Amino acid sequence: MTKPTPSIIAIDGPAASGKSTLGHRLADELGYLFFDTGVMYRAVTWLALQRGVDVNDEATVTRLAETAQIDVAPSSKDDGRACDVLADGVDITWETRRHEVDANVSVVSAYAGVRQALSAQQRRIGLRGKVVMVGRDIGTVVLPEADLKVYLDASAEERAKRRYDEVRARGGNPDYQEILDKVIQRDHIDSTRAVAPLRPAEDAVLLDSDKLDADEVFERVKNLCK
Ligand code: DC
């Protein structure tokens, strides 16, 4: 008997491991919804910064996460975005990618109340099925019942190099060592936080994208879906 195609697919891993590229491609291939949960943490971080809220003020940031209407919708513009990110109806897709957001999002996403508010929304969407959900805790906390769990890893050096190349391709003049230091710092915060730390689920398939290019990773995961 052939197994049915998994309906709920969880992809976790550290920043710049290639999760979003893989998740997007897989969702396209299967005709599923692609949901990158990191954008929700980014949206709350952007709202806090924009409203002058100190990101170290856990209670206020948590209230913001509980009350803001954050929506993630299929991309409406052909400008390189994977999806639209809306906060209270306003398109903040590119704001969520800003440098200030990168620098503060790990602090915001370590707050238990923020995680609780956002994971509940993510879980509701995930349980509808036919979804590829990408994040840090999808297989462990948000959707432990996922039909397929993938944990995509890569060394900090390789991930920093990818970020460096991305910034250069956009015309920037990045400093590799600075990017590497930030990758290591974010990994540390994401994997040592008390609530839902970054780690593979026990039943996750582990893939190392240092050793596999994007096509090979995609083919492996596509085969797991057959
Ligand atoms: O994947 P990303 O770089 O867009 O994620 C932004 C931040 O959000 C990152 O610091 C980790 C956090 N995050 C999380 O804690 N849990 C998730 N499910 C997704 C992202």
Side-chain angles (χ1 to χ4, degrees):
M1 222 175 67
T2 51
K3 281 203 309 186
T5 306
S7 178
I8 301 178
I9 301 175
I11 302 177
D12 291 303
S17 58
K19 306 179 299 286
S20 298
T21 306
L22 167 66
H24 202 230
R25 215 168 144 186
L26 193 62
D28 270 358
E29 172 83 16
L30 299 172
Y32 284 11
L33 172 74
F34 170 66
F35 195 107
D36 178 359
T37 55
V39 301
M40 296 186 82
Y41 293 95
R42 288 174 174 276
V44 172
T45 306
W46 168 247
L47 285 177
L49 294 172
Q50 198 208 18
R51 294 179 189 180
V53 172
D54 177 359
V55 293
N56 297 302
D57 177 352
E58 182 169 353
T60 308
V61 174
T62 300
R63 238 182 346 264
L64 195 58
E66 288 167 348
T67 52
Q69 176 70 41
I70 297 165
D71 291 309
V72 182
S75 128
S76 64
K77 288 199 184 113
D78 192 14
D79 61 358
R81 63 181 65 195
C83 55
D84 288 1
V85 187
L86 306 171
D88 296 329
V90 179
D91 185 336
I92 59 159
T93 307
W94 291 116
E95 279 76 7
T96 64
R97 296 282 147 200
R98 288 170 77 120
H99 173 71
E100 313 87 275
V101 173
D102 278 346
N104 290 286
V105 67
S106 278
V107 172
V108 168
S109 58
Y111 294 147
V114 170
R115 301 205 68 82
Q116 204 175 15
L118 301 187
S119 332
Q121 296 179 42
Q122 293 160 11
R123 181 165 171 76
R124 236 182 348 259
I125 295 167
L127 286 178
R128 293 182 198 146
K130 295 205 163 195
V131 66
V132 178
M133 198 169 276
V134 171
R136 304 291 193 286
D137 60 343
I138 308 306
T140 50
V141 175
V142 178
L143 294 164
E145 62 274 84
D147 305 304
L148 173 64
K149 299 179 188 177
V150 174
Y151 188 88
L152 188 57
D153 211 347
S155 64
E157 288 74 15
E158 175 63 29
R159 291 180 287 122
K161 183 177 169 301
R162 286 182 200 154
R163 278 277 146 91
Y164 174 87
D165 290 343
E166 262 169 43
V167 178
R168 280 198 64 113
R170 289 202 303 264
N173 185 21
D175 180 275
Y176 172 78
Q177 191 57 46
E178 197 181 308
I179 294 181
L180 177 61
D181 291 346
K182 286 200 181 121
V183 164
I184 292 171
Q185 189 193 10
R186 272 179 67 189
D187 283 356
H188 179 73
I189 301 179
D190 291 346
S191 55
T192 57
R193 67 184 175 216
V195 191
L198 170 67
R199 64 174 176 82
E202 274 172 22
D203 50 350
V205 176
L206 306 184
L207 295 175
D208 182 346
S209 74
D210 272 9
K211 303 197 182 94
L212 302 167
D213 68 23
D215 287 341
E216 289 168 325
V217 169
F218 175 65
E219 286 306 322
R220 293 253 181 134
V221 178
K222 204 170 83 172
N223 282 331
L224 293 170
C225 293
K226 281 184 183 154

